[in-house]
Amino acid sequence: MADETTTTDPAAGKGASVPTVPVVSEGPILDADFIGRLSKLDIISRKIFQGKIKGEKRSKRRGQSVEFADFRAYVSGDDLRFVDWNIFMRLDRLFLKLFLEEEDLFVYILLDGSKSMQYGSPSKFHYARKIAAALGYISLVNMNRVGIGAFSSQLDTVFSPTRGRRHLHRMIKFLEDVTPAGGTDMREACRRFALEHPQPGVCIVISDFLDRNGYDEAIKYFAARKLDIHLIHVMADEEVDPPLVGDLRLVDQEDGDVTDITVSAPLLRRYKANLEAFIESIRSYAARRGIGHVFTTTSRPFDELILRYLRERKLLK
Amino acid sequence: MGFLSSLNFLNPFALILAAAVPSAILLLYFLKLKRREVPVSSTFLWLKAIDDLRVNSPFQKLRQNLLLILQLLIALGVALALARPAANVGGSEGHDLVLVIDRSASMSTRDGGPGNPTRLERAKEEALRLIDDLSIGDRAMVLGFADTADQLQNLTDVKGMLRRAVAELEPTHRGSDLHDALAFAASLTKTQQGRQPEVVVFSDGALENVAELPESDLPVRYVRIGEPAGVKNFAITGLDRRRSLEGGDIYQIFVEVANTGDEDGVCGISLYLDDHLIDAKEVDLKAGRTASVLFERPSLTEGIARVQLEGEDWFELDDKAWTILTPQRLLEVLLVTADGNYFIHNILRIDPLVDSAALKRIAPEEFKAAESGIGDYDLVIFDRTSPGEALPPGSYLFLDAVPLAEGLGLMDAVEHPDIVEWDESHPATRFTDLSLLAINTAHPIQIRTGDRVVLQSTAGPLIVEPDDPTSRSLILGFDIYQTSWPLQSSFPIFFANVLRWLSAAGAEQRGSQVRTGDTVRVPLPKQGATAKVTGPDDEVHEIEPGRPEEQMATFSRTDLVGIYDVEGAEGGFERFAVNVLSRSESDIKAREQLTLRDKRVAGEAKAEERNREIWWWFAAVAFAFVLFEWWIYNRRVYL
């Protein structure tokens, strides 16, 4: 499936093949109607990737394929099978026919499963999991290989790269089984995941990026692998505009760290400024390194995020 | 400073709160109690915010504690309000107040009719208000007065003790005489140098014996309790009973009824004998008028007679009066005379009270006080012969003679003394007119202080009741034969009066009915005996003679109206009645002015306070702070 124009009515055509979507406490991860609309989407890879088998992706790499791309002059050692004999007959020079090689795409999704993701109502984790499921589904139906890793203070569980719609149920089950626990150590998790998944592809990190050790070290492991990286920054509304009042003792959900505050307007202003700076720092970090960045709060309608927002950000097409 | 120096705290103990509560609040703050725990995804953004804030503003600590500061201010405001700050509008500090509260009978008036508070209750309220008004350094004492004054609380600045003293003030049914209270206050001035007390009288202003009040230059305030006009009251102001003039043993009962209110009206009067209604009459009385009613029924011979006014009015105590009807007992009289006395003898013989068979006449030389058995006689009459020895307790009449007593004697004879005046209130001279008494020769009586002059002539006292605690006697300083008296109508009346008063029957009669506050003399059967008196409130009082040799005990606790039963008294003295019967107490119109000996004090309808309380001002400030805090807390608007 090269592009969406080739697809017929997805909801009617594929609804039956979609396994019943399990319902979790905060609602289903994906509902059938939404899944139908997701089917029109595909993951965009902005770099040339080489897959293991000839996949559905049009690779920028010229190679063996049916789609002609260009010619180039023969140099010794080239495969004689790709010599364009017609041109040799006319021009008496050896040219090689270059074809666009089609290959499958690796889509890696790293889902933050630390305890801090449990915050908010609905929780950030639920929201993040839905994003992961949606992206995973889009990838599966487009015959990409999907690998998912859930991490907290380490890489907790991994859904090994899998291709094909038939694995959708397994993927959703995997996502369901992830429960937020432990602290956040993105560096260690990314390092492990990058080591275990050397194939190039698209890497989507869904997290609140609330890691005391910072996120930049972690992202470097992927950047070094020439992966097409996207950061989806999820925050709860309660974090953006804290509904707090009075003398409080804030307890860190991850490490139990305690901070006494007296809520005041300047403190809230300062907090919001800090939050703004934090989000901005991620945005500028991403921009400098050609990394895609999407910031969202849990109040943004989920389908709007997937159907419009991510497309605008060139993650989906 | 002007404002601060005039600021008082009426309840300074609350200032302890002012110190204690903020400390407690501070302690709570330091202990960081009550911090609500809130889980957040991560504290590191907050930590950074706090650090930034701290760096940016050195006063952040203070700002963060704005709520604390507000709470301290609220606590301070409340504590100050509780301390009852008051602006002194009435002069310097260090006042001494003498609170004089009237608890006489008229203070039991319920202004406005039954169901309303009594005047005493309202007086107590006013007094409590003044006590509350006392500033630091002020002192007060509490006196209750009726016909005498009692000090209920000595001079103190402890408001609790003053309040208790006022609260414990009990009403009496007695008359009202300010004499003792004023004397007390005056004596206080002498002991408290430099501090002149102010006397505050809580009364309806109906005072007796105003002319006899001690002179004093003490400032007196008069807090008028009660309505000065529009009152409604019918009163029994007089009750008397005597044997019917036709003889026999039937009593006549005289009732004087007064309308002391401001409305004309008809008053029903009922007469009960031993709680059985036996007669009822009605009088139409205009406001301020008095009427006399006579009851005469064949059954009025013995028992407790009660006169009662029907209908409701403001003052109940004067709506009932009692008198005791004792059965007739004939008197035994001894006449000591040299040659007989025709007039006296005949008077005694025909008086229905006297047992004429037992009437005995002896010559002076036969009289020996110890031997004649004169204790058995109800009355001994000495006619122109003075006894040469001291007489045992008893009743004696001396005609041109005197008992043996130091200071008492007959002066030299004078010719034709003119009558100046006679004591109309004396029982012996009731219903008599002695102005036409012509005397040929008289021996004016040399008297001592305490002796009561009944008849005064230009030459000196001619009839005297000597002051004798053990005996009752009357001295006439002239010989009946030397006067025109036997030819006048006052003669038999006088002697009938004297017989009844001096004799035991008279003693019974006199003792059987008194006014509240009067003393009752109770005859005892023998020396050293005691008697028990049970009041209308069933309280039992044991009484004994003032001196061991006396056979007479005095009972003075006649606080309440009603019947008092006597146990252990001599022959037949079984009970006596106590009534209000006071025109001044029954006149329940509260006086606009208090009339003292030499000045008039205008009444205050409400006790004027010296301190104007401004606690509400502090309370309002505290409340404003509360609102401010609430607003800040909810809106997070501060700073």
Side-chain angles (χ1 to χ4, degrees):
Chain A
M1 195 183 290
D3 63 54
E4 59 192 86
T5 53
T6 59
T7 330
T8 51
D9 187 6
K14 293 164 189 170
S17 64
V18 173
T20 41
V21 179
V23 175
V24 295
S25 60
E26 290 173 299
I29 291 180
L30 293 175
D31 61 69
D33 178 50
F34 184 65
I35 283 171
R37 284 185 279 168
L38 288 181
S39 308
K40 300 173 182 173
L41 301 177
D42 195 1
I43 303 277
I44 295 177
S45 153
R46 289 171 298 174
K47 297 181 179 174
I48 303 164
F49 296 117
Q50 190 171 22
K52 272 185 178 170
I53 59 168
K54 308 285 180 210
E56 292 189 350
K57 280 279 163 287
R58 180 187 294 164
S59 169
K60 287 199 173 174
R61 181 177 162 167
R62 290 160 188 86
Q64 298 161 340
S65 170
V66 287
E67 269 185 74
F68 170 78
D70 205 352
F71 297 97
R72 74 164 164 82
Y74 173 81
V75 288
S76 62
D78 279 340
D79 194 340
L80 286 174
R81 283 178 294 172
F82 298 116
V83 173
D84 191 333
W85 296 111
N86 293 330
I87 291 185
F88 175 73
M89 293 299 289
R90 274 195 281 162
L91 303 178
D92 201 19
R93 289 177 65 180
L94 284 172
F95 281 96
L96 285 191
K97 275 197 283 189
L98 296 182
F99 298 93
L100 284 179
E101 195 166 42
E102 286 191 344
E103 51 193 35
D104 60 343
L105 177 67
F106 275 83
V107 176
Y108 302 118
I109 300 174
L110 263 173
L111 177 63
D112 187 345
S114 64
K115 269 203 113 171
S116 67
M117 291 295 284
Q118 222 170 14
Y119 191 70
S121 175
S123 71
K124 291 187 284 184
F125 182 73
H126 181 68
Y127 197 84
R129 185 158 61 176
K130 280 168 82 172
I131 299 174
L135 294 178
Y137 173 78
I138 293 168
S139 306
L140 284 180
V141 298
N142 287 299
M143 297 304 281
N144 298 322
R145 284 191 183 275
V146 178
I148 303 176
F151 68 92
S152 54
S153 56
Q154 58 183 28
L155 188 60
D156 294 328
T157 49
V158 173
F159 179 74
S160 305
T162 310
R163 195 166 76 149
R165 192 196 303 262
R166 66 181 181 282
H167 299 292
L168 175 64
H169 184 78
R170 206 160 60 81
M171 182 195 76
I172 287 180
K173 181 84 173 64
F174 168 82
L175 286 174
E176 269 172 19
D177 289 345
V178 179
T179 40
T184 310
D185 188 354
M186 288 179 75
R187 210 178 78 93
E188 171 60 19
C190 291
R191 193 182 65 82
R192 280 273 314 281
F193 193 84
L195 276 177
E196 287 172 11
H197 301 88
Q199 294 83 3
V202 178
C203 177
I204 303 165
V205 183
I206 309 172
S207 171
D208 54 10
F209 294 96
L210 290 173
D211 185 345
R212 282 176 202 276
N213 302 318
Y215 50 86
D216 42 357
E217 287 265 330
I219 305 302
K220 270 181 194 163
Y221 286 106
F222 295 120
R225 307 284 314 231
K226 297 187 85 177
L227 285 164
D228 191 3
I229 306 170
H230 291 272
L231 307 180
I232 299 182
H233 190 182
V234 180
M235 286 247 132
D237 279 340
E238 290 88 340
E239 286 171 310
V240 176
D241 189 13
L244 300 179
V245 122
D247 295 320
L248 302 174
R249 165 160 296 181
L250 303 182
V251 183
D252 194 312
Q253 275 187 322
E254 288 188 4
D255 53 14
D257 182 49
V258 159
T259 307
D260 288 343
I261 61 160
T262 299
V263 179
S264 65
L267 182 69
L268 286 177
R269 271 206 302 275
R270 186 59 61 178
Y271 170 82
K272 285 178 184 170
N274 283 336
L275 181 69
E276 204 68 47
F278 173 66
I279 297 165
E280 188 52 42
S281 74
I282 297 173
R283 194 195 314 276
S284 66
Y285 172 88
R288 278 200 307 277
R289 285 164 181 76
I291 295 173
H293 175 260
V294 172
F295 172 78
T296 183
T297 63
T298 50
S299 65
R300 184 189 299 279
F302 175 68
D303 44 0
E304 184 195 306
L305 174 86
I306 298 296
L307 297 177
R308 216 174 76 206
Y309 202 65
L310 291 185
R311 287 171 77 179
E312 283 171 13
R313 298 300 162 99
K314 303 275 192 270
L315 178 59
L316 297 176
K317 67 175 182 184
Chain B
M1 273 315 283
F3 172 73
L4 281 182
S5 62
S6 67
L7 193 64
N8 279 316
F9 290 102
L10 302 183
N11 180 17
F13 296 106
L15 289 177
I16 296 169
L17 268 181
V21 172
S23 336
I25 293 175
L26 277 176
L27 197 65
L28 286 178
Y29 258 79
F30 286 131
L31 291 175
K32 298 197 172 174
L33 296 179
K34 292 257 176 193
R35 263 192 200 278
R36 194 154 56 90
E37 290 201 352
V38 176
V40 291
S41 52
S42 177
T43 53
F44 93 95
L45 284 174
W46 288 104
L47 281 173
K48 202 159 150 17
I50 292 169
D51 287 342
D52 289 351
L53 219 51
R54 214 163 274 159
V55 170
N56 284 352
S57 77
F59 296 109
Q60 186 50 38
K61 259 284 182 244
L62 195 68
R63 287 193 191 178
Q64 275 188 344
N65 291 331
L66 182 63
L67 285 180
L68 167 66
I69 293 165
L70 279 176
Q71 280 162 13
L72 288 179
L73 286 173
I74 291 165
L76 188 68
V78 169
L80 284 176
L82 284 176
R84 299 182 54 204
N88 188 331
V89 293
S92 62
E93 290 191 13
H95 247 65
D96 283 350
L97 287 183
V98 182
L99 304 177
V100 180
I101 302 173
D102 189 349
R103 51 166 164 170
S104 64
S106 62
M107 293 299 278
S108 296
T109 303
R110 295 179 186 275
D111 287 288
N116 289 300
T118 66
R119 286 182 179 173
L120 183 65
E121 284 161 10
R122 289 173 52 200
K124 284 165 144 185
E125 263 174 41
E126 292 292 306
L128 287 176
R129 226 153 50 74
L130 271 199
I131 289 171
D132 280 350
D133 183 46
L134 292 178
S135 313
I136 302 166
D138 287 354
R139 294 182 300 179
M141 70 188 299
V142 180
L143 300 177
F145 82 96
D147 51 351
T148 59
D150 298 312
Q151 184 187 1
L152 300 166
Q153 174 59 51
N154 207 342
L155 204 57
T156 180
D157 57 357
V158 182
K159 291 186 181 181
M161 292 165 74
L162 292 167
R163 284 197 198 99
R164 196 164 52 240
V166 170
E168 284 171 1
L169 200 64
E170 295 279 346
T172 70
H173 298 169
R174 292 164 173 254
S176 37
D177 189 342
L178 202 51
H179 181 280
D180 288 2
L182 286 187
F184 211 104
S187 72
L188 190 70
T189 340
K190 288 172 190 137
T191 56
Q192 305 288 329
Q193 282 110 356
R195 292 176 74 138
Q196 192 181 39
E198 189 179 33
V199 179
V200 187
V201 181
F202 300 86
S203 172
D204 52 10
L207 300 182
E208 295 161 5
N209 304 327
V210 170
E212 289 167 22
L213 288 178
E215 270 188 75
S216 97
D217 50 359
L218 283 181
V220 175
R221 281 165 61 192
Y222 164 43
V223 179
R224 192 194 74 219
I225 309 290
E227 298 294 329
V231 302
K232 185 182 173 204
N233 188 37
F234 287 101
I236 301 172
T237 54
L239 176 66
D240 203 357
R241 56 102 168 96
R242 60 162 54 227
R243 296 280 179 194
S244 171
L245 289 176
E246 284 102 55
D249 52 1
I250 299 169
Y251 278 102
Q252 291 174 325
I253 293 181
F254 296 93
V255 182
E256 187 186 64
V257 182
N259 181 354
T260 61
D262 289 327
E263 294 169 24
D264 304 345
V266 177
C267 177
I269 308 157
S270 305
L271 175 67
Y272 296 81
L273 185 67
D274 293 334
D275 286 331
H276 297 294
L277 181 67
I278 58 168
D279 203 355
K281 298 196 176 190
E282 252 185 19
V283 284
D284 197 347
L285 268 182
K286 292 209 172 349
R289 303 299 286 271
T290 305
S292 290
V293 178
L294 174 69
F295 288 102
E296 190 169 18
R297 305 288 293 187
S299 54
L300 285 174
T301 55
E302 188 181 352
I304 301 171
R306 169 160 59 92
V307 179
Q308 187 165 343
L309 302 186
E310 305 299 340
E312 284 184 344
D313 58 16
W314 291 13
F315 185 39
E316 287 174 21
L317 290 177
D318 60 4
D319 294 345
K320 279 185 198 171
W322 292 263
T323 187
I324 312 290
L325 307 182
T326 46
Q328 191 166 30
R329 188 173 73 83
L330 296 180
L331 304 177
E332 293 182 16
V333 179
L334 175 65
L335 179 61
V336 183
T337 179
D339 50 357
N341 189 323
Y342 174 78
F343 298 115
I344 297 295
H345 195 266
N346 276 325
I347 281 276
L348 293 175
R349 206 166 51 78
I350 62 170
D351 192 299
L353 260 185
V354 178
D355 185 354
S356 51
L359 178 63
K360 192 178 176 190
R361 208 185 90 180
I362 59 170
E365 52 273 19
E366 293 174 39
F367 179 79
K368 291 274 188 299
E371 296 167 14
S372 312
I374 59 171
D376 297 337
Y377 289 98
D378 296 307
L379 174 63
V380 181
I381 301 173
F382 291 92
D383 179 34
R384 289 163 290 172
T385 173
S386 300
E389 56 194 312
L391 297 172
S395 297
Y396 302 97
L397 175 64
F398 300 92
L399 303 174
D400 207 16
V402 284
L404 187 66
E406 202 176 331
L408 264 184
L410 295 176
M411 293 190 276
D412 291 340
V414 291
E415 301 274 310
H416 306 297
D418 286 328
I419 303 303
V420 176
E421 61 172 359
W422 65 95
D423 184 349
E424 285 178 39
S425 66
H426 196 277
T429 55
R430 283 166 120 186
F431 316 111
T432 59
D433 180 0
L434 300 177
S435 59
L436 296 173
L437 177 59
I439 302 170
N440 197 23
T441 325
H443 295 96
I445 305 158
Q446 184 187 342
I447 59 169
R448 309 158 296 181
T449 49
D451 295 339
R452 183 176 178 184
V453 177
V454 179
L455 179 69
Q456 181 79 35
S457 76
T458 48
L462 290 183
I463 301 179
V464 167
E465 180 196 348
D467 179 28
D468 185 345
T470 58
S471 299
R472 181 173 302 156
S473 42
L474 197 66
I475 304 169
L476 273 63
F478 50 87
D479 179 6
I480 304 291
Y481 283 101
Q482 295 290 323
T483 66
S484 63
W485 208 7
L487 304 177
Q488 292 175 0
S489 61
S490 61
F491 182 72
I493 301 172
F494 178 84
F495 276 92
N497 285 340
V498 166
L499 275 173
R500 278 152 185 79
W501 177 61
L502 285 183
S503 65
E508 275 176 35
Q509 180 170 353
R510 207 174 83 130
S512 70
Q513 181 196 327
V514 295
R515 287 173 45 180
T516 46
D518 285 352
T519 54
V520 177
R521 292 163 62 82
V522 178
L524 298 173
K526 60 181 194 315
Q527 283 186 359
T530 59
K532 277 183 187 165
V533 179
T534 308
D537 54 354
D538 290 333
E539 195 179 336
V540 179
H541 309 269
E542 190 131 338
I543 53 171
E544 53 188 19
R547 282 179 301 201
E549 66 271 18
E550 286 176 356
Q551 276 187 282
M552 194 67 86
T554 308
F555 178 74
S556 58
R557 300 283 304 275
T558 51
D559 292 335
L560 304 173
V561 297
I563 299 293
Y564 289 67
D565 289 314
V566 182
E567 200 182 313
E570 197 191 22
F573 194 95
E574 287 173 350
R575 60 182 63 88
F576 58 90
V578 176
N579 302 313
V580 175
L581 301 187
S582 163
R583 185 70 206 229
S584 70
E585 289 301 320
S586 290
D587 187 1
I588 59 168
K589 273 190 276 257
R591 311 297 194 272
E592 299 272 11
Q593 291 180 319
L594 186 70
T595 309
L596 300 177
R597 178 194 175 93
D598 46 6
K599 61 183 165 192
R600 286 164 181 276
V601 182
E604 304 165 11
K606 264 184 116 51
E608 280 165 23
E609 291 160 317
R610 293 193 310 127
N611 291 306
R612 195 151 298 156
E613 290 207 33
I614 50 174
W615 62 267
W616 52 266
W617 200 87
F618 289 86
V621 170
F623 184 64
F625 280 133
V626 170
L627 288 181
F628 189 47
E629 187 188 11
W630 176 80
W631 185 58
I632 279 172
Y633 187 85
N634 280 291
R635 304 286 301 274
R636 290 187 274 161
V637 292
Y638 58 98
L639 296 175

